[in-house]
Amino acid sequence: MKSLMDPCCQRCAHRPETPCREYLRCRTEGPLCHDDEQCRKARQGRIEAVEGAAQAQRPTQNQINESPCWRLLVCAGTGCIASGGAPVVAALREAVEQRGMSSQVEIALTGCHGFCEQGPIIVVEPGKTFYRRVSAADALDIVDTHLAGGQRVDRLLYRLPGGEAVTCYPEIPFYARQHRIVLANCGHINPEDLGEYLARQGYRGFLKALAMERAAVIAEVKRSGLRGRGGAGFLTGQKWEFTAGAPGEEKYIVCNADEGDPGAFMDRSVLEGDPHAVLEGMLVAGYAIGAREGYIYVRAEYPLAIRRLQRAIAQAEACGLLGENILHSGFSFRVHVKAGAGAFVCGEETALLTSIEGNRGMPRVRPPYPAVKGLWGKPTNINNVETFANIPHILRRGADWYAAMGVGRSKGSKVFALTGKVNNTGLVEVPMGLSLREIIFAIGGGIQGGKAFKAVQIGGPSGGCLPESLLDTPVDYETLLEAGAMVGSGGLVVMDESTCMVDIARYFLNFTQQESCGKCAPCREGTKRMLEILTRITEGKGREEDLGALEKLAAVIKATSLCGLGQSAPNPVLTTLRYFRDEYEAHINDQRCPAGLCAALLTYRIDADKCRGCTLCARHCPVGCITGKPREAYVIDETRCVKCGVCLERCKFGAVIRR
Amino acid sequence: MLEKYREERGALIPLLQGAQEIYGYLPGAAMERIARTLRLPAAQVYGVATFYAQFHFTPRGRHVIRVCLGTACHVRGGARIFEALRRQLGVEDGGTTADLRYTLESVACIGACGLAPVIMIDDDTHGRLTPESLPGILARYE
């Protein structure tokens, strides 16, 4: 028996072909079909290997010294693979083989740990030892020193800013203040093994739902206060109720995994790290609403997520958890994966549906809402990945448990993608209502390079930029909306003093303008005009009347656009105008970019007194416009300079001046 | 492949994706054949194909370099990475080098923001880039 889903012995009667209601209980608490202490022990051992180690908060020294078997959890998320994770896995396998420890050591590939900044990441269980920036060359050392020798490899441990090493990950500040629910499994189970998901109470929420009346399931989700995690924050249970109540036999469940927001990657991590949680959430929704079919619409840019999902679906089908007559309940459900084709607007629900149908992904006017008239004209319930991933927990632990977290009308936890100029970038899951300051400074570890905080951009292109004075704003749906931003998908991009807010507004406008499907004029033409104005300002050609024009355009676009993309497109401009108006004015009135970023407004020159003629700038200048003789002062030819700033970065003597 | 999708609903996009996988781009003949199989007007097939950023109508390089210009990459200097690649390869956004070795593209977000600035070459993601690190990475793709 290698996985929990395997039969324990010849006598095991529970098979996928005859999946009774006790099937899952038999796999995790059993065997129930026959009495055998050996079989029970084997199952328990398997569960403990996955779950037991993760339970203990602080490991005892004994666990580290004399563990009979080790589990190396190697992050196989996109981030860690990109920082060189694959060779590490190969080297670890070889090292374990070489030392003859294959029977005692299991190397499990997991989903994202969330602390992408520190990748490649390895967690050694038992003991929760967190190794970061591991390279292939470290593999033998880990096996010899840690596994065979019972000593942690000191140089691979995470260090606090003071230099002190942190031994186990729950004590790393980045993790210590988080409250992981949706991400609880990410990084701790092998996402390609259904058995590991089961060992962590997987599919228990669905089992519980199956034993309830459909209406009761919806009531439970409603009571939990869960709101859509994709952006708008509509009450999930209410959405389910609408679809369940819509006339028609044929209904659909759709999972929106078209995470197009620049700066957000939580859906990707959940899909890659815990695909069964999404399937379980969809199953519960399917049962509650009375749908027999579900679709997951994933961006084609996420090949690993697509592969893992397809694998998870195949496993669930093989075990009778998807398909006809699931667990002998009379409920049947199938899930299809549809790869998107690269259009941001397809994240909008009506556009997404028409894209699944094989058309140009353009939104349409609502109502009728998809709950009444959705995929192929049938009632359809669409939720985002993170929303579905919350469902199993709500069913399993109850609505009250969930509703106890959060503030006001924002319940539960939310995953944020913390990126930009912050020290600890990665995925952060916190209860709703935590302040931005706590997220950015306590968990995120503050601003990179000791620079000053300037703004935080929340909610992607639909959101806004909030200044330092609003750092104590609690993060919840209502408060953020009031401040001009929104929770959105949960992207938090931190900006420091070197970020130009006009440039950021232009950046987002450029994005929405390019991604506008072009169906309605306010969005198609309006964003174009706004972009023209912003571009002009960043080029130093701004006029006094520009700011008024921007505000007027923004108001019209917001009020008259067809879908969410257009309605929210002006948000980044409006919030930067509201909180950073002085920067716009500096660009327009003084032809000056306070952050020193807008290339057209900058000049570079070399201070002859400070220049030592080291040639570094001239050698790295991409256009070769810096000339001079070694050991004499160099000169920049401003007519040819492309203002890339490489000379400034290279100069060791502070001789390059940017104005 | 055409057989598999003939009767399936919403088959157009998966078919276009499949055809692009085979040819590396979407030749006109392939799109016309898809139109005939699905009994759709050719205009509709072209209309759908041109709507999505993923589809291409001219041959592409052996390796596709996607430069992330997402927000996180933007604030950490993604534009400079793009600029450096543009110079190095001598092609514009969406362009392919004359020897068909590389195609350069800017994309909205790769979803590996923790490693910004990031590029993707084929299916490999490379992060924490500096303009200087690029030649070494490019050399690995023949």
Side-chain angles (χ1 to χ4, degrees):
Chain A
M1 189 186 76
K2 282 200 81 179
S3 161
L4 270 187
M5 291 316 282
D6 297 333
C8 45
C9 68
Q10 293 275 319
R11 286 171 297 159
C12 183
H14 278 287
R15 296 193 187 283
E17 304 85 62
T18 53
C20 69
R21 293 258 181 140
E22 296 298 310
Y23 181 45
L24 286 184
R25 228 162 62 78
C26 188
R27 286 299 189 242
T28 48
E29 295 164 26
L32 307 173
C33 45
H34 60 279
D35 219 12
D36 190 326
E37 211 33 53
Q38 286 294 321
C39 293
R40 195 181 305 273
K41 265 194 183 147
R43 290 220 176 277
Q44 271 309 316
R46 189 68 218 146
I47 291 172
E48 266 161 33
V50 180
E51 177 73 356
Q55 289 279 325
Q57 263 307 307
R58 191 166 168 82
T60 62
Q61 192 59 35
N62 260 359
Q63 276 178 303
I64 299 154
N65 288 342
E66 311 158 6
S67 176
C69 51
W70 299 96
R71 232 166 106 80
L72 298 182
L73 301 164
V74 188
C75 181
T78 299
C80 281
I81 291 176
S83 8
V88 174
V89 178
L92 276 173
R93 289 220 167 100
E94 203 191 298
V96 168
E97 192 80 21
Q98 204 184 333
R99 294 294 190 253
M101 294 178 77
S102 306
S103 59
Q104 294 150 268
V105 181
E106 185 196 348
I107 297 172
L109 302 186
T110 71
C112 182
H113 283 267
F115 206 177
C116 308
E117 182 80 26
Q118 300 289 334
I121 292 169
I122 295 180
V123 172
V124 184
E125 296 279 16
K128 301 184 175 312
T129 307
F130 184 90
Y131 289 135
R132 26 82 61 185
R133 300 257 165 114
V134 181
S135 71
D138 300 320
L140 259 183
D141 209 5
I142 292 176
V143 173
D144 284 346
T145 312
H146 191 137
L147 306 191
Q151 294 294 322
R152 290 185 167 111
V153 185
D154 195 57
R155 69 191 155 84
L156 296 175
L157 292 172
Y158 175 81
R159 280 173 198 284
L160 296 172
E164 192 191 335
V166 184
T167 46
C168 60
Y169 64 82
E171 287 168 16
I172 295 174
F174 178 76
Y175 290 109
R177 288 162 191 261
Q178 291 193 44
H179 198 80
R180 298 197 152 208
I181 296 164
V182 168
L183 297 180
N185 284 341
C186 286
H188 300 289
I189 61 166
N190 178 354
E192 303 196 354
D193 186 346
L194 170 58
E196 298 208 357
Y197 182 64
L198 285 189
R200 305 263 303 202
Q201 302 282 308
Y203 288 102
R204 285 307 179 96
F206 171 57
L207 269 189
K208 225 166 152 185
L210 272 184
M212 291 159 75
E213 292 287 330
R214 288 162 192 263
V217 176
I218 295 177
E220 188 80 2
V221 174
K222 227 169 140 180
R223 212 155 53 83
S224 74
L226 173 68
R227 292 167 71 175
R229 295 292 190 245
F234 195 77
L235 205 62
T236 306
Q238 204 163 353
K239 208 171 186 180
W240 287 18
E241 199 169 55
F242 286 149
T243 319
E249 277 300 293
E250 212 175 320
K251 287 173 185 163
Y252 294 98
I253 302 291
V254 174
C255 172
N256 184 346
D258 187 69
E259 185 174 55
D261 267 24
F265 55 103
M266 63 283 292
D267 291 352
R268 160 182 222 152
S269 291
V270 172
L271 293 170
E272 289 179 358
D274 200 8
H276 282 289
V278 181
L279 291 183
E280 188 181 349
M282 290 179 74
L283 269 166
V284 174
Y287 171 75
I289 288 163
R292 295 173 53 91
E293 249 177 305
Y295 285 87
I296 307 178
Y297 188 89
V298 201
R299 300 179 74 192
E301 285 90 337
Y302 289 180
L304 185 62
I306 295 177
R307 266 207 309 279
R308 294 241 167 102
L309 269 176
Q310 280 166 337
R311 222 188 147 100
I313 291 171
Q315 282 172 353
E317 278 175 354
C319 296
L321 288 167
L322 276 178
E324 295 301 310
N325 197 8
I326 295 168
L327 301 180
H328 216 72
S329 62
F331 168 61
S332 304
F333 196 69
R334 291 207 169 274
V335 175
H336 313 271
V337 175
K338 281 267 177 183
F344 176 69
V345 71
C346 287
E348 214 281 333
E349 56 181 14
T350 56
L352 187 150
L353 293 177
T354 180
S355 180
I356 293 182
E357 291 168 7
N359 307 314
R360 298 172 73 116
M362 288 182 170
R364 61 163 173 78
V365 181
R366 299 178 303 182
Y369 285 92
V372 179
K373 207 164 184 269
L375 195 60
W376 288 298
K378 306 283 192 260
T380 302
N381 182 76
I382 307 186
N383 289 129
N384 153 276
V385 171
E386 200 187 324
T387 316
F388 277 125
N390 268 300
I391 298 291
H393 299 279
I394 293 174
L395 264 290
R396 187 158 58 80
R397 302 196 227 183
D400 296 326
W401 164 82
Y402 194 82
M405 272 179 302
V407 286
R409 288 174 50 219
S410 304
K411 300 294 185 193
S413 65
K414 172 82 188 97
V415 185
F416 291 98
L418 189 59
T419 60
K421 302 279 182 72
V422 63
N423 277 319
N424 304 336
T425 61
L427 286 185
V428 174
E429 185 171 354
V430 293
M432 283 274 183
L434 214 66
S435 76
L436 284 168
R437 192 184 298 278
E438 278 170 273
I439 297 176
I440 296 167
F441 288 90
I443 297 174
I447 310 300
Q448 275 185 345
K451 288 195 176 167
F453 171 90
K454 185 186 247 178
V456 56
Q457 213 283 341
I458 309 180
S462 318
C465 298
L466 302 184
E468 189 168 10
S469 58
L470 292 178
L471 266 182
D472 291 309
T473 306
V475 179
D476 67 68
Y477 290 95
E478 277 74 29
T479 324
L480 283 185
L481 220 53
E482 248 166 65
M486 63 193 284
V487 172
S489 57
L492 287 183
V493 185
V494 178
M495 298 161 189
D496 67 8
E497 52 197 327
S498 65
T499 315
C500 169
M501 299 317 286
V502 186
D503 173 70
I504 285 295
R506 190 193 57 84
Y507 167 81
F508 279 112
L509 244 283
N510 183 45
F511 178 81
T512 40
Q513 190 268 321
Q514 277 182 6
E515 295 291 344
S516 168
C517 79
K519 187 171 177 177
C520 73
C523 176
R524 182 183 66 233
E525 303 295 332
T527 55
K528 203 164 200 149
R529 296 291 92 83
M530 286 181 81
L531 178 62
E532 281 169 7
I533 297 175
L534 287 167
T535 308
R536 219 173 49 223
I537 297 176
T538 57
E539 284 170 353
K541 297 173 197 151
R543 304 175 202 136
E544 221 161 281
E545 65 270 22
D546 279 349
L547 299 188
L550 278 177
E551 275 163 334
K552 199 168 162 199
L553 273 166
V556 174
I557 295 169
K558 266 177 94 89
T560 56
S561 286
L562 176 65
C563 80
L565 188 141
Q567 286 157 11
S568 62
N571 286 354
V573 182
L574 287 176
T575 50
T576 46
L577 270 172
R578 183 160 149 197
Y579 299 119
F580 301 96
R581 204 179 185 90
D582 52 327
E583 285 200 29
Y584 281 87
E585 283 163 356
H587 280 78
I588 295 173
N589 302 334
D590 315 335
Q591 312 287 304
R592 189 173 62 84
C593 175
L597 191 100
C598 293
L601 301 178
L602 299 176
T603 52
Y604 286 86
R605 68 185 184 80
I606 293 173
D607 184 343
D609 291 339
K610 285 190 182 163
C611 180
R612 309 247 186 114
C614 72
T615 76
L616 214 50
C617 58
R619 274 188 284 147
H620 283 99
C621 176
V623 290
C625 73
I626 307 179
T627 48
K629 285 191 191 128
R631 282 186 289 281
E632 283 175 30
Y634 274 64
V635 184
I636 296 175
D637 178 358
E638 274 184 41
T639 56
R640 283 162 57 216
C641 174
V642 290
K643 296 164 182 171
C644 64
V646 168
C647 48
L648 180 79
E649 258 167 46
R650 290 285 155 188
C651 184
K652 292 198 175 106
F653 310 106
V656 178
I657 305 164
R658 175 168 69 184
R659 277 237 163 80
Chain B
M1 189 176 74
L2 287 167
E3 274 313 308
K4 187 181 148 205
Y5 283 107
R6 196 181 292 272
E7 299 303 327
E8 203 173 294
R9 287 191 295 182
L12 178 53
I13 292 171
L15 265 178
L16 288 170
Q17 284 167 335
Q20 179 156 291
E21 192 125 300
I22 296 169
Y23 298 106
Y25 70 109
L26 285 176
M31 284 194 281
E32 273 152 37
R33 186 120 181 253
I34 290 171
R36 275 202 305 280
T37 309
L38 297 179
R39 294 194 198 90
L40 290 173
Q44 189 179 340
V45 175
Y46 276 89
V48 169
T50 50
F51 181 82
Y52 294 100
Q54 194 193 41
F55 298 119
H56 306 278
F57 309 98
T58 47
R60 315 228 308 144
R62 289 193 296 284
H63 304 290
V64 179
I65 306 172
R66 295 188 176 88
V67 187
C68 182
L69 294 180
T71 321
C73 290
H74 181 79
V75 301
R76 285 208 200 166
R80 282 194 14 228
I81 300 292
F82 183 76
E83 188 59 27
L85 280 167
R86 202 177 62 88
R87 272 170 202 289
Q88 212 166 319
L89 302 176
V91 293
E92 294 301 314
D93 192 1
T96 301
T97 53
D99 59 1
L100 287 183
R101 187 166 164 186
Y102 304 112
T103 294
L104 178 68
E105 265 175 13
S106 65
V107 294
C109 184
I110 286 173
C113 315
L115 304 171
V118 187
I119 62 170
M120 222 171 140
I121 304 185
D122 304 333
D123 277 347
D124 309 336
T125 314
H126 302 272
R128 301 193 194 105
L129 296 171
T130 58
E132 288 75 35
S133 61
L134 293 171
I137 293 172
L138 287 187
R140 283 185 242 160
Y141 295 86
E142 222 349 276

